Amino acid sequence: MNLLPKTHEEFATVDYWNSFFKKRGKEAFEWYGEYMELCEQIHKYVRRNDKILMLGCGNSKLSMDMYDSGFKDITNIDISAVAIKKMQEINTRTRSDMKFLQMDATNMSFDDEQFSVALDKGTLDALFVDDTDDVRKTVESYFKEIGRVLRTGGRYVCISLLQEHILKHIIEYFPKNSFMLRIVHCPDADRANQEKNADNPDNLSMPVFAFVATKFKALPMAILEFSYSSDKIQRFTSALELQNSVTSLQTAAVVCNGLSRTDVVGHNDVSMDLCKPGDDKPRYTVHIVDQPPARGLGKYAAFIVPQGRDVEWLFSTANGRKKLLEQSKFQRMAVVTLHRNQNYLSMEEVKAELAESIKNFAPVGLKEQIPFLSIGADMGKRETLFNGKSEISGDFLVEEIEGSGGKNFRRLIFMSNQGVVQSEALIKTVKVKGKVEKRVDFGYLACQHHAYMSVGVQLATAGFQQKEQPENNSILVIGLGGGGLCMFLHEAIPEINIVAVDIDPAMAEIAEKYFGLQQNERMHVVIEDGLEYLSNCKKQGRRFTAVLFDVDSKDLSLGMSCPPPAFMSSVVLADVKSIIGDNGLFILNLVCRNDNLREKTLNDLKPVFPALCSFKLNEDLNEIIYCTNNDKFNQLPAWKKSFRGSVQKLNSAAKSKKLCKDDVLDVTDFLNELSI
């Protein structure tokens, strides 16, 4: 039997409701939850000695349950004579002093200021079916009547889904008519509705709210408040802030409803930030990933990423999280990352905080307890060493985190792109005169692509051992960051001199203070626009054995984040071609998410440099492109032959200087992945 109206306009008609209640018979119909699910809000805003008006009672048990709980002075009205007659029959013996009257709530016959509470569960939503002029006039009459029959200090308590047009109207209407307005989320009603709709994939459970409009004779200013569940009250200075608080909760509900009934197999995972009530700074980010159902897979689990590990490929990329899901043996996983500048006391505290929120992302009908997974029992450590701001790079920070195996890492993070580590150094402890000190381990290359850039430098340097050595084998690096690449090259290849150019003076200071950068006769930092420096070098006839581009774009909207577009102009490439001479090497770190932009970049390079080859990293977006003016390298075997010796020499040099125990690069894997 279909008990829903054919069109939403029918919600406001007497005939519809008479027909509705005849079909329902004695079965109670509860809009948005029953008494037990709403009692927290009712008991907070309605006192037992209040004179209560129940607006649009229908055949709901709410007033009966309230009466049985001690609220004795209740007058119920409804537009439907059928509903009122049924309610009188049900309550005449057990609740004889509770009144049931047929009455139009938009034109009530009560005296002025007769009630201290007007209670509305779904009536406003039934009246306010759309935003047409006729409907708005009806709602205006309804609100005026409520204001008339309420005493000063009285409260209009309305249970509603707060559709967009309703939300906007109440935020506008009540403050300008001397009502204080508070909107409260009703989570118990939400959960009950979700359970009722669990077996019906076509029903979406939207958040239930109670708004409380308190009548005053006059208010000098609008009072607008919001409460998420039973937590502290937020007071807003603007209507837009209150509206955004409600709509953000509704948007989250739409996402959660969708996720409970479908999956994201074959698509990018769905991400959502979680904040504490009253705090707009994210405390957690949840990524939902799915894989096709298969025998032996659990239904759903949550994985908590330890602090500081969130930037690792396995946790920070969609492909990485899919790999994590496959390893976990679950059909769905909520991968949870913890935010910096937030305090987390323990893993147990984190689990307790997340318990309810994680349920919202569960597949519909899940009955099993949701397991929490992580890497060990420790949630990791993260400490901010320095907060800074640069005119060029914006806000940034230096932090230390505890990684796998108890190792400590120091990182440079730009706050405009917190998911990317700009620089990272391994921190080791050494004893100096009986005291333990922290030192940067220059043998650690945090960025995998730096190893492939380094072998390019080794190739260029080795190639010039039998030729004239311009500038004493000087290497030009555009983009300093924390200086990790420069210091590795400085230590591993002592025959080179390094010039590092960076436009941001703050980066040079941070590199020296926190990342161990040491300027000397072989290591020199220039603070200058890299484009201007290249142009001046060409004009002055300066040559470099290798030129490295490792500079990020500040514009995150571009499909290519490294290098900035200006560095790939024909003028700049011509400058580089001149600077490296006949036998030098241009080494480009390309980070590109757009295949068309990547193709354009390669097409821009090919007419300038007679020979080029590339290495694409498997787990990262980085692609290292090697370019030279020496046309003997225009065949892949020539590149591989030269690189083989360079990889072996770099590995040997790094080990001999005790920079690392293992090879910097696996020569076989590297050569197999080279392409031309």
Side-chain angles (χ1 to χ4, degrees), residues 261-301:
R261 290 164 168 79
T262 187
D263 58 53
V264 291
V265 175
H267 302 278
N268 287 333
D269 50 29
V270 174
S271 301
M272 186 176 295
D273 288 333
L274 303 179
C275 307
K276 279 189 172 182
D279 188 359
D280 59 357
K281 294 180 180 178
R283 183 162 173 81
Y284 302 98
T285 294
V286 181
H287 303 271
I288 303 299
V289 283
D290 288 315
Q291 62 179 327
R295 183 177 297 178
L297 291 182
K299 286 186 179 180
Y300 178 50

Side-chain angles (χ1 to χ4, degrees), residues 282-493:
R283 183 162 173 81
Y284 302 98
T285 294
V286 181
H287 303 271
I288 303 299
V289 283
D290 288 315
Q291 62 179 327
R295 183 177 297 178
L297 291 182
K299 286 186 179 180
Y300 178 50
F303 188 99
I304 301 174
V305 180
Q307 292 184 94
R309 304 289 297 275
D310 50 301
V311 296
E312 296 177 14
W313 177 83
L314 193 63
F315 311 120
S316 66
T317 67
N319 287 336
R321 291 188 288 268
K322 288 178 182 177
K323 187 72 173 178
L324 179 67
L325 177 65
E326 292 171 4
Q327 296 172 350
S328 72
K329 303 298 183 184
F330 281 90
Q331 188 174 329
R332 166 171 290 183
M333 179 176 285
V335 182
V336 183
T337 57
L338 285 59
H339 281 249
R340 55 180 54 86
N341 298 325
Q342 294 275 0
N343 292 322
Y344 306 94
L345 299 179
S346 67
M347 182 66 81
E348 293 308 311
E349 179 211 43
V350 169
K351 291 178 182 178
E353 278 191 343
L354 289 169
E356 287 301 316
S357 297
I358 289 300
K359 291 179 184 177
N360 293 330
F361 304 107
V364 67
L366 181 75
K367 302 297 183 183
E368 298 90 341
Q369 185 175 356
I370 302 170
F372 281 92
L373 313 176
S374 190
I375 303 173
D378 192 355
M379 64 178 184
K381 297 177 182 177
R382 175 157 40 197
E383 177 187 3
T384 299
L385 303 181
F386 180 76
N387 279 297
K389 185 170 185 176
S390 159
E391 291 184 4
I392 296 171
S393 303
D395 293 327
F396 65 89
L397 60 80
V398 178
E399 65 181 11
E400 250 180 47
I401 68 104
E402 182 181 304
S404 59
K407 294 181 179 179
N408 291 321
F409 298 91
R410 190 170 294 173
R411 292 172 173 169
L412 171 64
I413 304 289
F414 290 164
M415 303 309 290
S416 61
N417 194 10
Q418 297 185 41
V420 175
V421 177
Q422 295 298 321
S423 295
E424 182 179 83
L426 175 63
I427 303 301
K428 58 184 180 181
T429 55
V430 296
K431 280 191 175 182
V432 180
K433 297 181 180 179
K435 295 183 178 180
V436 177
E437 294 184 1
K438 290 182 177 181
R439 296 282 178 86
V440 173
D441 185 345
F442 296 130
Y444 171 75
L445 286 173
C447 304
Q448 192 182 14
H449 70 273
H450 280 170
Y452 301 101
M453 299 186 85
S454 298
V455 78
V457 172
Q458 181 66 67
L459 170 62
T461 304
F464 276 87
Q465 295 303 304
Q466 301 169 0
K467 303 177 184 296
E468 179 184 353
Q469 299 180 14
E471 297 286 335
N472 296 316
N473 263 335
S474 289
I475 306 300
L476 176 60
V477 180
I478 306 295
L480 174 67
L485 172 61
C486 291
M487 288 309 299
F488 176 80
L489 292 173
H490 180 274
E491 298 297 310
I493 312 176

Side-chain angles (χ1 to χ4, degrees), residues 185-218:
H185 178 226
C186 306
D188 290 338
D190 285 0
R191 282 189 284 271
N193 288 338
Q194 289 167 6
E195 290 174 3
K196 290 175 184 176
N197 291 327
D199 297 328
N200 189 344
D202 295 327
N203 285 351
L204 293 181
S205 300
M206 296 304 295
V208 178
F209 299 92
F211 73 79
V212 183
T214 305
K215 179 181 175 181
F216 288 86
K217 288 184 177 180

Side-chain angles (χ1 to χ4, degrees), residues 442 480 482-483 486-487 508 511-513 515-519 523 525:
F442 296 130
L480 174 67
C486 291
M487 288 309 299
E512 289 184 332
K513 186 172 182 180
F515 292 90
L517 180 70
Q518 301 168 11
Q519 294 197 56
M523 176 74 226
V525 176

